[in-house]
Amino acid sequence: RVPVVLDWLPEGCVSLSMTRCKDVDVGDVLESHLKFLRLDNCNIGNDGLARLLSRCPKLASLQLPNNRALQVPVVLAMMPPLRSLDILCCEDSSAPQDVGAIVAAFPRLEELALHLGGDCSTLTRLQKSLRRLCVRLSDELTAAELATRVLPRLLSLQRLDVIVPRERDVAVAEHRFRGLAPSVVVRCCGDVQATASKGMWKVGTMCDWLGLGDALCTE
């Protein structure tokens, strides 16, 4: 990985994607008209996420996979009109993310990828917009609530990706979530981490593999 400082973008640039860059410094360049931003495994932390959200008022798609356990700020003066958000991380140290804060900040999300834990009932507020959902699950109670109380109310959901802790959990999850969305894919954290660590994927490949971003990342 190499440190990256962005101090210029071409005029009219609306899409930017980088993978495995160290300590990305966006500077003031993101005061631009960016609509699609992807920084995969770029050491983005919560401060960096807050800066991106505050400096990119026109973002429709923000993809930050494999960047620690990011938490969406509860209060910012203005949030961009995101339709697609990926803040999923499969590292062991990654904690579940506050889905309530995410839904409150971005009430029109169509695509979402995150580490889900605890009360996930607020996802039902996205019942008319959410088309694709990718969740990392690490506890039984959350998995049960998602399957029995949340997914049946997500009327627009077309694809569900479920990431479970171990390979032996895959079959159980496949049985639990079968039929709760037109398309359901279950994988374990180890497989996702192995894919991400290879570092040979083209821009957007991991996002596409998880079923996120293909509709919103084209202009």
Side-chain angles (χ1 to χ4, degrees):
R1 287 195 256 190
V2 295
V4 173
V5 177
L6 293 176
D7 55 12
W8 177 83
L9 284 178
E11 184 177 353
C13 178
V14 296
S15 180
L16 174 66
S17 180
M18 294 189 294
T19 301
R20 295 179 65 83
C21 296
K22 179 182 178 181
D23 301 326
V24 174
D25 182 358
V26 297
D28 294 326
V29 72
L30 295 187
E31 300 279 356
S32 65
H33 298 288
L34 277 178
K35 295 182 180 179
F36 312 108
L37 177 61
R38 179 177 179 83
L39 301 174
D40 184 347
N41 198 359
C42 290
N43 287 358
I44 302 296
N46 287 324
D47 290 343
L49 174 58
R51 290 178 67 200
L52 292 175
L53 291 174
S54 65
R55 293 188 176 193
C56 302
K58 297 186 178 182
L59 272 183
S61 175
L62 179 60
Q63 311 294 319
L64 302 174
N66 309 305
N67 283 287
R68 314 174 192 172
L70 296 173
Q71 299 290 342
V72 170
V74 176
V75 178
L76 278 180
M78 182 179 297
M79 289 290 198
L82 286 186
R83 296 299 181 94
S84 178
L85 176 65
D86 180 355
I87 52 174
L88 180 67
C89 180
C90 282
E91 293 182 1
D92 292 339
S93 60
S94 171
Q97 288 145 326
D98 187 347
V99 68
I102 293 171
V103 172
F106 311 114
R108 297 182 180 179
L109 279 175
E110 297 176 13
E111 303 177 340
L112 175 61
L114 79 164
H115 183 178
L116 196 62
D119 182 7
C120 58
S121 61
T122 51
L123 277 173
T124 59
R125 298 178 190 173
L126 301 175
Q127 60 180 328
K128 294 183 179 180
S129 64
L130 194 64
R131 297 184 296 106
R132 293 178 174 178
L133 176 64
C134 177
V135 292
R136 174 188 171 189
L137 297 173
S138 51
D139 70 89
E140 172 64 22
L141 291 177
T142 300
E145 182 182 20
L146 181 67
T148 60
R149 298 183 180 182
V150 175
L151 291 176
R153 297 176 62 184
L154 297 181
L155 305 179
S156 299
L157 194 66
Q158 295 297 310
R159 172 159 174 159
L160 172 67
D161 283 83
V162 177
I163 301 173
V164 292
R166 297 166 293 273
E167 181 67 34
R168 65 175 180 266
D169 301 321
V170 170
V172 174
E174 287 177 336
H175 178 74
R176 166 174 274 162
F177 294 104
R178 184 179 299 131
L180 293 179
S183 176
V184 178
V185 177
V186 180
R187 308 202 182 258
C188 70
C189 276
D191 287 345
V192 175
Q193 287 176 312
T195 302
S197 66
K198 288 179 181 178
M200 297 185 295
W201 292 81
K202 295 180 180 179
V203 169
T205 298
M206 176 63 88
C207 185
D208 295 339
W209 181 72
L210 290 174
L212 296 176
D214 58 332
L216 292 179
C217 290
T218 56
E219 178 73 353

